[in-house]
């Protein structure tokens, strides 16, 4: 049976692409090698990590905040298997949702590893080794990414774990060593700290979350330190040995110098992710990759081989589920003869710790480097009525606007619920709003979003509540 489109991979890039293609009338199939649909995001990424972040945040609140609000509860007790079951239930609901959507949109599914045998031909190898070749007009590669390895350290997913192992630990480690102060390391480090682990984060660079606005990142780090996370910046882990009872990690200054050792029960390697193209047969059909192993595409997501497209973590750009989804929609629309498009200037980035750190657009450092004159408006949550009453006054909003035109160029929010609040900034930027547009838009009272409005007012120095 011939298809208009075969999508290889059913993560947020692949499943969204397939559904949009089916909506547009393309006869579509998806090939997935894992037992469940949904890719990294639904199975071992966004969804399970957010389930554990949510549960562990409530656990911490029950222990530390409830009494201050007059809610008397006995000291909360952790039932880790039950918390893991709660997480698994959330994952199951989500992956079943994708299977339902495939059926609803009449998308055929093939279980097995997809290999591009030739343009227009995808070979699917099932787990039992049986193969079949399926014909199609177009192919979208949406095979995502995998854990980046750390030289000198072997991940066994028991003691030395990747994010995948850190989502399924069967007991709270006494000491957790996190390698990498990026989004994944800080989110999972937060989960296990809240549940009782002593957490040390080692980072090669001299700052946490590279790429984040420096001022916001510094305050973020201070707040995480106040919660008990220890940071060793400008340092690198060069080896981990397992003595049976404990792990010993060797840590050296990034610039070179005397090594030290740290003991841990669990080491989490979270230094990033790399594009995944194993077994796809790209060399055979001549699809180009760049020097970082990413599939190279043009502005229409097409590779150098006509009819073969790629989206999501496997191509360049931020490795984020919503970026993959938007590329999935755009690629499907382009393949269907429409004008698909993604605005890479307005892709929000969220770290779901407490407080959350959400940003969209440019950082101050990027504007300086580009020589763009800008104005800054800031507003702290200590001056926001809702934050005060909720006792969530950590953090601030920072808005960067073009000095000449007042167009909003970047918004950075460090606060409880920042991940939800960043949506208004993204919409404003998508519509080319000025800071004054945000400042003069009526925001409901009392909400945390009033801090966004006040930061916009502060750009032209007329913030009322400060
Ligand atoms: C712990 C963690 C937390 C994260 N949290 C967030 C978050 O909060 N927000 C966010 O935006 N992003 C988050 N991410 C990143 C997000 O998961 C990825 O950006 C997203 O999943 C990428 O989507 P994708 O469709 O490109 O690929 P993936 O989701 O990786 O899906 C690729 C799919 O392709 C399949 N596949 C691969 N090769 C083949 C083949 N040859 N044949 C058949 N199938 C194949 C794989 O089995 C997989 O199902 C997180 C990641 C991790 C690891």
């Amino acid at each position: 049976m011939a298809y208009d489109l075969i999508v290889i991979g059913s993560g947020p890039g692949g499943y969204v692409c397939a559904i949009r293609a089916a909506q547009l009338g393309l006869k579509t199939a998806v090939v997935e090698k894992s037992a469940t649909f949904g890719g990294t995001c639904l199975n071992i990424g966004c969804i399970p990590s957010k389930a554990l972040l949510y549960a562990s945040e409530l656990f911490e609140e029950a222990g530390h905040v409830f009494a201050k609000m007059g809610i008397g509860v006995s000291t909360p007790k952790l039932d880790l298997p039950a918390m893991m079951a709660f997480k698994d239930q959330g994952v199951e609901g989500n992956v079943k949702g994708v299977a339902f959507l495939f059926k609803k949109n009449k998308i055929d599914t093939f279980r097995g590893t997809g290999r591009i045998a030739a343009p227009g031909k995808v070979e699917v190898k099932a787990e039992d080794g049986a193969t079949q070749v399926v014909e199609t007009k177009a192919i979208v590669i949406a095979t995502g990414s995998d854990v980046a390895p750390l030289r000198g350290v072997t991940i066994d997913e028991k003691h030395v774990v990747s994010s995948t192992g850190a989502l399924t630990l069967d007991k709270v480690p006494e000491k957790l060593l996190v390698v990498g102060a990026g989004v994944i390391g800080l989110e999972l480090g937060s989960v296990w700290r809240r549940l009782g682990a002593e957490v040390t984060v080692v980072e090669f660079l001299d700052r946490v979350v590279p790429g984040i606005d420096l001022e916001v990142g510094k305050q973020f780090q201070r707040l995480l330190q106040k919660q008990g996370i220890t940071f060793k910046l400008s340092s690198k882990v060069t080896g981990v040995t397992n003595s049976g009872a404990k792990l010993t990690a060797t840590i050296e200054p990034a610039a070179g110098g005397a090594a030290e050792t740290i003991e841990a029960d669990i080491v989490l390697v979270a230094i990033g992710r790399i594009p995944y193209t194993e077994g796809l047969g790209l060399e055979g059909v001549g699809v180009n990759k760049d020097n970082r192993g990413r599939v190279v595409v043009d502005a229409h997501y097409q590779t150098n081989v006509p009819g073969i497209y790629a989206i999501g973590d496997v191509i360049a750009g931020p490795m984020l589920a919503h970026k993959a989804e938007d590329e999935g929609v755009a690629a499907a629309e382009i393949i269907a003869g429409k004008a698909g498009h993604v605005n890479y200037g307005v892709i929000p980035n969220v770290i779901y710790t407490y407080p959350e750190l959400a940003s969209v657009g440019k950082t101050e450092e990027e504007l300086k480097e580009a020589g763009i004159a800008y104005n800054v408006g800031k507003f702290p949550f200590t001056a926001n009525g809702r934050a005060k009453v909720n006792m969530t006054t950590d953090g601030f909003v920072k808005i960067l606007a073009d000095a000449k035109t007042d167009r909003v160029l970047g918004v950075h929010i460090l606060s409880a619920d920042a991940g939800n609040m960043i949506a208004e900034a993204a919409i404003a930027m998508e519509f080319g709003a000025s800071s004054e547009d945000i400042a003069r838009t009526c925001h409901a009272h009392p909400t945390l979003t009033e801090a966004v409005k006040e930061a916009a007012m502060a750009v032209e120095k007329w913030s009322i509540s400060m």
Side-chain angles (χ1 to χ4, degrees), residues 9 12-13 32-34 39-41 45-46 50 114 143-144 313 319-322:
E32 174 54 62
K33 71 183 174 69
S34 295
T40 303
C41 173
C46 324
K50 264 79 258 178
T143 49
D313 278 9
M319 287 183 163
L320 292 169
H322 41 283

Side-chain angles (χ1 to χ4, degrees), residues 177-194:
L177 181 73
V178 179
V179 191
V183 179
I184 292 175
L186 296 183
E187 287 188 351
L188 293 175
S190 287
V191 165
W192 291 107
R193 186 210 49 81
R194 292 167 185 168

Side-chain angles (χ1 to χ4, degrees), residues 431-442:
F431 280 80
S434 63
S435 78
E436 188 176 356
D437 289 327
I438 299 178
R440 293 192 186 276
T441 299
C442 192

Side-chain angles (χ1 to χ4, degrees), residues 44-240:
I44 50 166
C46 324
I47 295 298
S49 60
K50 264 79 258 178
L52 290 183
L53 279 157
Y54 180 60
S56 61
E57 191 169 342
L58 292 186
F59 177 74
E60 185 156 81
E61 279 188 11
H64 295 99
V65 187
F66 279 15
K68 292 183 195 160
M69 298 179 189
I71 306 169
V73 289
S74 48
T75 308
K77 258 179 60 198
L78 176 65
D79 181 345
L80 189 58
M83 194 180 278
M84 290 294 174
F86 158 78
K87 173 208 66 178
D88 293 341
Q89 205 183 344
V91 168
E92 196 188 334
N94 275 279
V95 299
K96 279 189 177 159
V98 175
F100 163 79
L101 290 172
F102 282 160
K103 273 209 185 94
K104 182 182 165 213
N105 288 283
K106 301 188 174 40
I107 294 164
D108 289 343
T109 54
F110 293 88
R111 293 277 180 195
T113 302
R115 184 179 71 85
I116 305 175
K121 283 190 174 46
V122 176
E123 181 196 84
V124 183
K125 188 174 187 182
E127 229 182 329
D128 64 6
T131 60
Q132 60 179 312
V133 174
V134 196
E135 298 205 348
T136 177
K137 287 185 195 145
I139 297 168
V140 169
I141 300 166
T143 49
S145 61
D146 200 0
V147 173
L150 176 61
R151 197 185 308 159
V153 177
T154 308
I155 294 174
D156 59 19
E157 297 297 10
K158 271 192 163 161
H159 306 284
V160 181
V161 298
S162 70
S163 54
T164 307
L167 289 166
T168 53
L169 297 181
D170 56 8
K171 67 173 202 255
V172 179
E174 232 173 86
K175 290 186 178 180
L176 171 67
L177 181 73
V178 179
V179 191
V183 179
I184 292 175
L186 296 183
E187 287 188 351
L188 293 175
S190 287
V191 165
W192 291 107
R193 186 210 49 81
R194 292 167 185 168
L195 300 181
E198 193 183 295
V199 176
T200 303
V201 179
V202 179
E203 166 60 48
F204 184 82
L205 298 173
D206 60 356
R207 52 182 300 189
V208 302
V209 209
I212 288 288
D213 186 274
L214 200 54
E215 181 188 24
V216 182
K218 277 191 178 152
Q219 181 153 347
F220 180 51
Q221 185 191 337
R222 274 197 294 275
L223 291 169
L224 293 179
Q225 272 166 203
K226 228 169 73 184
Q227 293 165 16
I229 294 181
T230 304
F231 287 93
K232 276 190 166 294
L233 302 181
S234 305
S235 303
K236 58 181 178 189
V237 171
T238 52
V240 177

